Amino acid sequence: RFLNQITHLFVRDNISYSNLQKYDIPPEKCSVICDFAYWLDPLRSQRSMEIVEKLDEFSRGVPLIGIAPGMDLKSSKTEYLMSWCRLIRALYDKGYNIVLIPTSHNPKCLAPPHDKDDYGFCHLINLKLKLDLPIIQTKQLEPEEIIEIMKEFDCTVSARMHGAIFSTLADVPTICIYNEQKGLGLFNTFFNDSVRLYSLEEFLDYNKTHLSLIRDLEELLDVKSPYSETIKNMREASSKRIYDVF
């Protein structure tokens, strides 16, 4: 009923577009445009700059790796925690500076596994590793302020789709761990392999995958301005398509 009523559908990735074709949506009634988060720009506020200054002091010229672990994943919490701890310990032992970035703060949600409290999960990582890695206080920040803060990192690894989006908007090399089609579809559609993608299953297979993930990270550290031109083209093409439809 809904699909028969609409004039035009905009989707943010090719997987969504292909799924709609199964419902016999005419191609001329559906367009792929970028996620609306890609219309955001970094914001230099007093709050964001205070955090930036602390990150500068912490990094001391050593590559700064941002970790946005997320917790709203369809896996064993223990297994997921151990996989993050092993990855972070490997990076820490290599001499990288690690900062944890919570991007969700809802400890009680309706959908299983009923836990979207990234901040609590970041503390759990510190507790398990017996480390005192900095955790950025993002709960009161606007998305634009988080993007400004993300610019301080040399690379990020995110299990949150919007954590990865913020990182690309900050023009920081990004690795995304996805557990559903939306993350896979979005980054595959617009970024090819410039955003490195790992499925949740791959991430949990520590012995098979983590060496490859670390190699990707170290390769990405040498990439300068990886996404700015892509995002510029995404915005222009999406804006033109919206204008043409309306």
Side-chain angles (χ1 to χ4, degrees):
R1 186 179 299 126
F2 167 73
L3 294 175
N4 286 333
Q5 296 292 327
I6 59 97
T7 302
H8 200 90
L9 274 168
F10 294 101
V11 296
R12 62 186 172 187
D13 63 81
N14 286 333
I15 293 178
S16 299
Y17 182 88
S18 297
N19 288 339
L20 285 169
Q21 302 312 300
K22 298 174 185 176
Y23 292 94
D24 298 322
I25 299 297
E28 65 274 12
K29 294 183 68 175
C30 187
S31 301
V32 179
I33 60 172
C34 64
D35 187 288
F36 285 137
Y38 279 104
W39 295 102
L40 300 176
D41 291 309
L43 174 62
R44 293 172 63 90
S45 67
Q46 181 177 347
R47 293 187 301 190
S48 65
M49 295 316 297
E50 286 175 356
I51 295 173
V52 164
E53 289 173 5
K54 291 179 181 177
L55 291 175
D56 283 339
E57 294 174 5
F58 175 70
S59 65
R60 301 184 303 276
V62 176
L64 190 63
I65 310 300
I67 301 290
M71 187 52 231
D72 183 28
L73 295 169
K74 303 164 186 173
S75 66
S76 160
K77 184 173 182 177
T78 300
E79 184 184 15
Y80 184 62
L81 171 65
M82 291 308 300
S83 198
W84 273 115
C85 287
R86 286 171 173 170
L87 175 63
I88 292 169
R89 172 58 72 180
L91 294 171
Y92 183 85
D93 289 346
K94 280 178 168 284
Y96 295 117
N97 284 325
I98 312 294
V99 175
L100 303 176
I101 312 168
T103 56
S104 177
H105 303 273
N106 185 2
K108 295 181 180 180
C109 60
L110 297 177
H114 311 292
D115 190 352
K116 291 188 178 181
D117 181 16
D118 294 358
Y119 190 74
F121 190 64
C122 289
H123 275 290
L124 193 58
I125 289 172
N126 266 340
L127 183 64
K128 191 71 177 179
L129 288 173
K130 294 181 171 59
L131 295 175
D132 189 24
L133 302 174
I135 302 173
I136 296 179
Q137 298 279 0
T138 58
K139 188 172 184 178
Q140 304 301 324
L141 298 178
E142 297 296 331
E144 294 89 341
E145 292 174 304
I146 298 175
I147 297 168
E148 179 67 31
I149 292 164
M150 286 280 199
K151 290 161 63 175
E152 291 299 299
F153 293 97
D154 295 285
C155 188
T156 63
V157 183
S158 178
R160 292 280 189 204
M161 186 185 74
H162 279 90
I165 288 176
F166 293 160
S167 178
T168 57
L169 278 163
D171 217 15
V172 172
T174 302
I175 297 172
C176 179
I177 298 162
Y178 65 90
N179 75 311
E180 52 196 347
Q181 289 187 332
K182 64 179 183 179
L184 172 64
L186 186 149
F187 293 111
N188 263 342
T189 298
F190 292 103
F191 291 93
N192 298 318
D193 64 346
S194 61
V195 171
R196 306 296 168 86
L197 297 168
Y198 286 84
S199 69
L200 175 61
E201 291 74 18
E202 290 172 321
F203 179 70
L204 294 176
D205 191 347
Y206 175 82
N207 292 325
K208 184 177 179 180
T209 305
H210 280 208
L211 286 177
S212 172
L213 193 155
I214 292 171
R215 281 197 301 268
D216 274 349
L217 184 148
E218 292 180 329
E219 181 180 312
L220 287 170
L221 286 174
D222 294 327
V223 178
K224 305 301 180 185
S225 299
Y227 309 121
S228 53
E229 190 65 23
T230 297
I231 293 172
K232 176 177 175 289
N233 293 336
M234 285 165 53
R235 287 177 171 180
E236 289 177 354
S238 297
S239 182
K240 182 179 185 305
R241 186 57 191 146
I242 293 169
Y243 182 85
D244 289 344
V245 166
F246 284 106

